[in-house]
Amino acid sequence: MASGGPPFSLGVETHEGLAALTRAIRAEEDGKQLRKELAANMRDALRPGAAEAKSSIMSASSAGLPTAPALRSSIARKIRPEVKLGGRWSGARVKAFKTKNVRGFPNAPKRMNRAGGWRHPVYGNREIWVQQHGKVDWFDRSFEGREGVYKAAVEAAMENMAERLAARAG
């Protein structure tokens, strides 16, 4: 993942083309439906990447006592493609959302990915703390070498919609 970007996202670089496509869709009579369809197609293009990231976190080793809710499966449920068309940020990305109500550990996806891991008290005893490490770069490694494939698939969905709009106008 490129440094300086937001953590836990695989983004397609937004450009004037996406903004122009969104404006053209808005100008159409059935623009709302076309916009939903474009977003769905872009999400579908990123679904294999999200599945790969889910598989990566589920393959992390699990040591310790079985406790509920399970951390790895909770993180996997929060990984999904996200598409926004308009506003301050436009584009498509795979994102690992926070795990708000899982063992009081909302930043689990980010901490599991980090080499430094995280600190926590041993069984709630605030006097004894331990350092724990997850599966380092599980999110980032699931996209290595395939960024171009996902970017091309999202751009193909955008191009398909642009061609449909051009055929209507022509």
Side-chain angles (χ1 to χ4, degrees):
M1 181 182 289
S3 62
F8 293 92
S9 66
L10 174 71
V12 172
E13 298 302 317
T14 60
H15 46 56
E16 301 80 37
L18 180 58
L21 180 59
T22 304
R23 281 192 303 273
I25 288 173
R26 265 192 217 122
E28 292 294 317
E29 188 174 311
D30 60 342
K32 201 171 196 177
Q33 182 61 33
L34 291 174
R35 189 176 164 113
K36 284 181 185 178
E37 189 176 326
L38 174 62
N41 290 342
M42 291 170 77
R43 271 191 302 276
D44 288 344
L46 293 176
R47 274 197 176 59
E52 183 69 30
K54 287 178 183 186
S55 173
S56 180
I57 190 58
M58 291 304 290
S59 70
S61 65
S62 176
L65 298 173
T67 56
L71 189 59
R72 293 175 304 155
S73 61
S74 296
I75 292 171
R77 276 194 302 273
K78 292 292 192 166
I79 298 170
R80 57 185 165 266
E82 178 185 46
V83 174
K84 289 188 178 178
L85 302 172
R88 294 172 75 192
W89 177 84
S90 290
R93 62 186 174 188
V94 175
K95 189 171 178 182
F97 292 88
K98 286 188 173 190
T99 52
K100 290 186 175 131
N101 298 322
V102 178
R103 299 190 205 170
F105 192 17
N107 291 319
K110 181 167 54 173
R111 298 289 189 254
M112 289 281 288
N113 195 54
R114 223 170 55 176
W118 66 95
R119 288 175 45 82
H120 64 87
V122 177
Y123 297 108
N125 182 348
R126 295 272 176 197
E127 294 180 16
I128 303 173
W129 288 71
V130 294
Q131 182 75 18
Q132 189 168 342
H133 301 280
K135 184 177 179 185
V136 179
D137 289 340
W138 63 267
F139 189 85
D140 301 337
R141 286 187 186 151
S142 58
F143 297 103
E144 274 182 3
R146 291 184 291 283
E147 299 95 340
V149 173
Y150 301 125
K151 184 175 181 177
V154 169
E155 288 175 349
M158 291 168 45
E159 186 64 33
N160 184 26
M161 183 58 69
E163 288 172 5
R164 284 178 54 191
L165 291 176
R168 285 181 172 192

